[in-house]
Amino acid sequence: MLFKQQALLRQKLFVLGSLAIGSLLYLVARVGSLDRLQPLCSIDGRFGPHSQDEIPLRALQFKRGLLHEFRKGNATKEQIRLHNLVQQLPKAIIIGVRKGGTRALLEMLNLHPSVVKASQEIHFFDNDENYAKGIEWYRKKMPFSYPHQITIEKSPAYFITEEVPERIYKMNSSIKLLIIVREPTTRAISDYTQVLEGKERKNKTYYKFEKLAIDPNTCEVNTKYKAVRTSIYTKHLERWLKYFPIEQFHIVDGDRLITEPLPELQLVEKFLNLPPRISQYNLYFNATRGFYCLRFNIVFNKCLAGSKGRIHPEVDTSVITKLRKFFHPFNQKFYQITGRTFNWP
């Protein structure tokens, strides 16, 4: 009797073990074949029709996983085709200004599910060698995206380079252009600080800001100094207005983007005709870093590089006063042209 019970038990265990192994082998085979399976419906079909007022949220896993693999060049042509992904020319460009907050603006806009950013500055329109490679070369530098998404790139040198407005106009005369500005004197000092840090890393000496910003012969503001010239926003904008109407520009307050980013981002969403998706949840103040960081979901967040928020060197107050007085009439004209007023001294 005992022998029969033991035999029956062994038989049951054998059957259960066989079923478990069979199920495991099926799952392995199933997972291995997923990439080869045709989807039951297209990506567009699963998300439904897209309209300007109702654009679906991207799956976070897809955005941070599959798209990342595509950007690294690890995707096959078949995968790209199945997911209906394309490399699109940008429908909006952050054209400047240097040290105005272009990287912060780009990263924050990337929180929006309908925005896909170029990860690096392309320097297509301001670099003659790159521009000579043609528009198809430029397009292939863009990230993969869904057709309904907006691709955005940023190259701050575009704003001050004379050839750029005409070149961008020839590509797309209706493109939307984003300019992010800061108080001109602060921006000039920030520009200087970045160059100074680069010199120090190479153990090179560099002039003090005061010596560069003020002409020693005339004791007036040195307009030949690039950091000063870049801060004369209206001069550069007037060149752009020869090709684009003011309605195609949106001015972002770079100072406010640092202290109160959400209202500025909501204005950009409206300008780009995007549904409001970025919320206060996506932005949190990091007391250690001293500025806002980005929250994509409960487990994924991101802060800008440590090079952001550099401490500026002390600058002689008389030089700051002279610079602010110099920039004042240009600022007033900038307010008139853009229709946006800033609390700049």
Side-chain angles (χ1 to χ4, degrees):
M1 185 69 178
L2 180 60
F3 176 79
K4 288 184 179 181
Q5 288 178 343
Q6 289 176 340
L8 183 61
L9 180 61
R10 284 197 296 269
Q11 186 178 7
K12 287 182 179 179
L13 289 173
F14 175 80
V15 171
L16 290 173
S18 300
L19 288 173
I21 293 172
S23 299
L24 181 61
L25 290 173
Y26 172 79
L27 288 173
V28 171
R30 177 68 175 169
V31 171
S33 65
L34 282 179
D35 288 341
R36 299 191 296 273
L37 292 176
Q38 285 284 349
L40 295 176
C41 58
S42 68
I43 293 295
D44 286 343
R46 275 182 280 166
F47 284 119
H50 307 309
S51 69
Q52 207 63 346
D53 295 322
E54 192 174 338
I55 300 177
L57 293 175
R58 282 174 293 185
L60 185 68
Q61 181 181 1
F62 183 83
K63 178 182 177 186
R64 298 300 161 194
L66 191 57
L67 274 179
H68 179 64
E69 292 301 311
F70 290 165
R71 288 168 186 153
K72 292 193 301 181
N74 293 342
T76 65
K77 290 182 179 179
E78 182 66 10
Q79 285 176 314
I80 293 170
R81 185 187 68 79
L82 286 177
H83 289 286
N84 196 28
L85 293 169
V86 290
Q87 287 174 293
Q88 304 183 80
L89 290 172
K91 296 177 183 176
I93 300 178
I94 302 173
I95 59 174
V97 299
R98 173 181 161 96
K99 306 313 299 175
T102 56
R103 172 57 60 183
L105 177 60
L106 183 68
E107 295 292 344
M108 289 178 178
L109 288 178
N110 191 50
L111 289 164
H112 198 288
S114 294
V115 171
V116 178
K117 68 178 178 71
S119 58
Q120 298 191 0
E121 294 178 11
I122 311 299
H123 288 287
F124 177 64
F125 298 103
D126 65 308
N127 183 299
D128 292 340
E129 185 178 339
N130 286 343
Y131 190 68
K133 295 175 182 176
I135 202 73
E136 190 62 16
W137 177 88
Y138 178 57
R139 186 180 67 81
K140 288 182 179 179
K141 291 291 182 180
M142 296 299 137
F144 286 97
S145 62
Y146 288 128
H148 75 274
Q149 291 173 319
I150 293 177
T151 297
I152 297 181
E153 75 124 322
K154 74 102 174 175
S155 294
Y158 289 168
F159 186 59
I160 64 172
T161 306
E162 290 188 12
E163 299 84 2
V164 171
E166 182 179 5
R167 289 174 175 179
I168 291 182
Y169 180 84
K170 287 179 179 178
M171 179 191 72
N172 182 359
S173 61
S174 62
I175 197 166
K176 292 181 180 290
L177 302 165
L178 294 163
I179 305 172
I180 179 167
V181 294
R182 296 183 67 192
E183 192 276 313
T185 301
T186 303
R187 195 221 64 83
I189 296 172
S190 181
D191 197 327
Y192 166 83
T193 304
Q194 178 170 294
V195 176
L196 175 65
E197 186 179 274
K199 297 285 186 181
E200 290 176 341
R201 280 200 304 266
K202 298 176 182 178
N203 293 320
K204 294 183 178 180
T205 58
Y206 196 50
Y207 294 109
K208 292 187 68 175
F209 176 79
E210 292 87 340
K211 191 168 185 178
L212 294 169
I214 304 298
D215 188 323
N217 298 317
T218 63
C219 293
E220 297 300 326
V221 173
N222 180 15
T223 55
K224 293 181 180 180
Y225 179 37
K226 187 176 179 180
V228 169
R229 288 203 318 272
T230 300
S231 286
I232 308 175
Y233 305 138
T234 184
K235 290 289 186 181
H236 306 293
L237 182 59
E238 286 173 344
R239 185 172 59 252
W240 284 85
L241 291 173
K242 294 177 182 177
Y243 295 91
F244 300 96
I246 193 63
E247 291 77 20
Q248 281 178 234
F249 296 86
H250 178 73
I251 311 300
V252 179
D253 186 341
D255 295 309
R256 193 183 184 202
L257 192 72
I258 296 171
T259 60
E260 197 179 0
L262 184 58
E264 286 299 313
L265 295 172
Q266 290 172 333
L267 290 173
V268 177
E269 284 179 322
K270 186 176 181 180
F271 172 70
L272 296 176
N273 296 320
L274 295 171
R277 290 289 186 269
I278 303 173
S279 69
Q280 196 62 58
Y281 170 82
N282 301 119
L283 303 158
Y284 68 95
F285 186 77
N286 186 312
T288 303
R289 303 293 294 277
F291 49 78
Y292 279 87
C293 293
L294 317 179
R295 182 187 289 115
F296 290 88
N297 71 352
I298 195 169
V299 295
F300 184 80
N301 55 57
K302 178 180 182 178
C303 287
L304 297 179
S307 60
K308 304 301 177 184
R310 295 181 181 92
I311 298 175
H312 292 179
E314 288 189 15
V315 177
D316 189 287
T317 54
S318 65
V319 171
I320 292 176
T321 301
K322 188 181 288 285
L323 282 168
R324 287 176 172 171
K325 185 176 180 181
F326 168 80
F327 286 126
H328 182 74
F330 296 111
N331 295 343
Q332 295 300 311
K333 192 170 185 180
F334 186 70
Y335 300 161
Q336 292 172 1
I337 293 173
T338 63
R340 183 156 194 191
T341 303
F342 300 96
N343 296 320
W344 296 339

